[in-house]
Amino acid sequence: IGRLLFTDFCNEQDDLKRCNKFLNNVDNYEKLAPEESRLQLAQNIYQECLCAEATSRLPEDLIDETKIREVEERLLGESPRYIYSEIAAKVRDFLSGAPFAQYLESKYFTRQLQWKQLEKKPISKHTFRHYRVLGKGGFGEVCATQSRASGKMYAEKKLN
């Protein structure tokens, strides 16, 4: 949940949103993409995040022109899996600095701490609201319950 909340925090600021989009695209490219579509994905990442005309170009202080030229040369040949790893490492280092310090002061971090506190509480009979019996069997009964913390509905089996 911490990563999702940090992503929500980043999406409020344009520069951080572009960094986050780049990292998500690179993760998809390196880990999820099949070999056949990898070259096309690599070109899309370059066009969206690195080239001068890109709509969601990374902030200028994160862009090293020599690394971009290396990426351009690799895109013309075969597309290795980790073509963007050095640029992605630089973006991660940037996000772990001042933006993360701002995150620690934000409402999103407070929400993360609240969830962590909730996770530490032991589960008891007071954790859920019990509504009605859904069915009975030889070993017990199944009841409709609702989590007090999240409001999600569950089926709970009570054993005899």
Side-chain angles (χ1 to χ4, degrees):
I1 194 161
R3 183 176 179 157
L4 294 174
L5 289 169
F6 185 70
T7 300
D8 288 345
F9 169 77
C10 289
N11 287 337
E12 286 187 347
Q13 300 176 32
D14 192 44
D15 284 352
L16 301 181
K17 185 176 184 177
R18 290 182 282 167
C19 291
N20 210 19
K21 180 179 180 181
F22 173 75
L23 289 177
N24 287 337
N25 288 343
V26 169
D27 283 346
N28 289 338
Y29 167 74
E30 290 179 349
K31 297 175 184 169
L32 304 175
E35 285 296 325
E36 308 84 48
S37 62
R38 187 161 286 139
L39 181 60
Q40 181 62 41
L41 279 173
Q43 291 170 345
N44 289 347
I45 293 171
Y46 174 77
Q47 291 171 352
E48 289 180 14
C49 303
L50 297 177
C51 74
E53 306 84 33
T55 56
S56 57
R57 184 174 164 92
L58 288 175
E60 293 298 325
D61 53 336
L62 294 177
I63 296 176
D64 182 7
E65 292 299 326
T66 58
K67 296 292 180 198
I68 291 178
R69 276 191 232 105
E70 287 177 18
V71 167
E72 288 172 351
E73 290 171 5
R74 289 182 178 174
L75 285 176
L76 294 175
E78 290 184 22
S79 176
R81 175 169 277 180
Y82 301 106
I83 190 172
Y84 294 110
S85 59
E86 292 177 23
I87 299 172
K90 190 171 184 177
V91 171
R92 283 188 190 96
D93 288 344
F94 166 73
L95 288 177
S96 65
F100 189 73
Q102 293 172 357
Y103 168 72
L104 293 177
E105 301 297 323
S106 72
K107 63 182 178 183
Y108 295 101
F109 185 67
T110 304
R111 179 63 49 97
Q112 182 180 355
L113 292 178
Q114 290 170 343
W115 274 105
K116 285 294 179 189
Q117 198 66 22
L118 191 63
E119 285 177 344
K120 288 181 182 179
K121 287 184 179 179
I123 295 176
S124 70
K125 66 179 184 178
H126 302 293
T127 306
F128 297 95
R129 288 186 189 99
H130 299 275
Y131 287 110
R132 68 182 191 97
V133 175
L134 298 174
K136 291 185 179 183
F139 293 105
E141 56 187 24
V142 176
C143 298
T145 60
Q146 183 180 32
S147 170
R148 292 181 191 269
S150 66
K152 289 186 178 181
M153 295 295 292
Y154 295 98
E156 177 184 289
K157 187 172 196 175
K158 293 181 183 180
L159 300 176
N160 292 337

